[in-house]
Structures are given as structure tokens and as C-alpha cells.
Amino acid sequence: MSTAPVRRSGLQRDILDLYRKCFRAARLKPEANRPHFHAFIRMQFRKHSEVKQRDFATIEYLLRMGKRQLEVYSAPSIEDVTI
């Protein structure tokens, strides 16, 4: 018995893509600081988990903010984050 793959909307795919990119970027940070980045990423996504699925404007805004934040934290000069 096989299960059908989950069908996701475009926004859901964008959110998952951003989440994965964040964790990939964390792999480029010093090994000792990676747990801090992982905790920070999870905290940021969970903080906004209460946004309604149909609140497209807020979701798109948060996606733009997340992409900008990823760009900033991906810089080689950023070596650690604090929560």
C-alpha cells in the first residue's frame, strides 16, 4: 500500500524551500556554532506558525523578510547568533 505524495501550494513549497536553504546556510558556519543557528532557525519559523493559512499577504511578507534575513546571516562575517 503506497501513499500518494503530499500536494503543496506554491506558498507552502516556498516556505519549505526557505527552511531548507536556512539549514544549508547553517552548514557553512563554524561547527561549534551550528546548534545556535539551528535553534534560531526553528525559533523564527515556530514564532510565526500561528499565521492563518489563508493570510496570503502576511505569509508573503514573512517570506520576503525570511529571505532577507537568510541573505544577511549567510554572510561569511556572521559566525554566530544569539537567541
Side-chain angles (χ1 to χ4, degrees), residues 2 7 15 17-18 21 23-24 26 31 35 38 44 51 55 61 63 66 75 79 82-83:
S2 66
R7 295 191 61 179
I15 293 165
D17 185 49
L18 177 61
K21 284 180 182 177
F23 277 96
R24 286 186 196 116
E31 193 169 341
H38 293 169
Q44 290 299 311
V51 174
D55 192 353
Y61 168 77
L63 266 171
E79 294 185 357
T82 56
I83 300 174

Side-chain angles (χ1 to χ4, degrees), residues 14-29 33-45 62-75 81:
D14 291 345
I15 293 165
L16 285 172
D17 185 49
L18 177 61
Y19 191 75
R20 289 182 187 117
K21 284 180 182 177
C22 290
F23 277 96
R24 286 186 196 116
R27 281 191 227 145
L28 303 174
K29 300 303 176 183
N33 299 336
R34 286 181 200 161
H36 302 156
F37 279 95
H38 293 169
F40 180 76
I41 293 164
R42 287 185 186 106
M43 182 188 74
Q44 290 299 311
F45 275 83
L62 290 170
L63 266 171
R64 284 192 305 273
M65 292 297 293
K67 288 175 183 176
R68 274 191 234 127
Q69 221 174 9
L70 172 61
E71 201 174 294
V72 169
Y73 287 116
S74 293
V81 293

